[in-house]
Amino acid sequence: MTDTPPTRSALLDLQDKRSLAEKGHNLLEKKRDALIHKFFDLINEYKEIKQTAYQQLQDGYTTLHKTQAINGVDVVRSVGFSQPTTMDVKTGTENLMGVTVPHYKVTRNEVTDNTSKMDIDQSLAEAQQSFTEIAELLIQLAEVEETIHTLADAIQRAKRRVNSLEHVKIPEMNETEEQIQQKLMEKERERFVSLKQLK
């Protein structure tokens, strides 16, 4: 900024740039605050999903141990290996306040219950259903966790840009503007003195 020529056009140009920088600073502050608000919302959501997943895992393993005790570990394992894929997961992205975040879409497949044709206790079907729901929760948990990390990075970048504008660039522009105004005033005084001497 120090090499900016002390002219009126340069002063007007600098004032426009400073005005733009101040608007950008205000917008970045609003974006940063909105991202921080969303970040803490996601932290709470993550805690809730994690707690639900933990509880369902405990219940799921209880059901699994029960069906293993009734039907035998080898039978349960063979039925598990014979089951087709119960869900498909498509990975993608979403735009969240200008930040690209991950999005996982889970689609459940129609699966024929092959346990009904066998002499197997109903608890095995319950265990299958339970672990399918747990898998969906864990995928949701992974999406929220990755989004939290992505937002944390975006917040840090926004903070750096806000601080740079607030503490470096805008003050530099203000200082340069003052210097140009002082030089223009000096030139005006010199011109006035010269005109007076000519008269």
Side-chain angles (χ1 to χ4, degrees), residues 79-98:
V79 170
F81 283 130
S82 69
Q83 285 287 339
T85 305
T86 57
M87 65 177 69
D88 288 322
V89 182
K90 288 185 179 178
T91 61
T93 57
E94 283 185 339
N95 189 304
L96 183 63
M97 291 181 281

Side-chain angles (χ1 to χ4, degrees), residues 3 22 24 38 40 44-45 52 59 119 124 155:
D3 58 351
E22 286 171 348
K38 185 63 180 176
F40 283 111
N44 291 331
E45 185 182 343
T52 304
D59 296 342
D119 186 22
L124 181 53
I155 289 165

Side-chain angles (χ1 to χ4, degrees), residues 2-15:
T2 53
D3 58 351
T4 305
T7 61
R8 295 209 175 272
S9 60
L11 178 63
L12 291 171
D13 185 50
L14 182 62
Q15 287 171 339

Side-chain angles (χ1 to χ4, degrees), residues 44-89:
N44 291 331
E45 185 182 343
Y46 177 82
K47 287 176 182 176
E48 288 173 11
I49 298 170
K50 189 175 181 180
Q51 188 176 0
T52 304
Y54 180 74
Q55 186 59 53
Q56 287 201 16
L57 270 171
Q58 286 185 313
D59 296 342
Y61 275 110
T62 300
T63 307
L64 180 63
H65 293 148
K66 175 185 169 186
T67 195
Q68 284 176 335
I70 294 170
N71 301 290
V73 174
D74 291 337
V75 172
V76 172
R77 185 179 288 119
S78 64
V79 170
F81 283 130
S82 69
Q83 285 287 339
T85 305
T86 57
M87 65 177 69
D88 288 322
V89 182

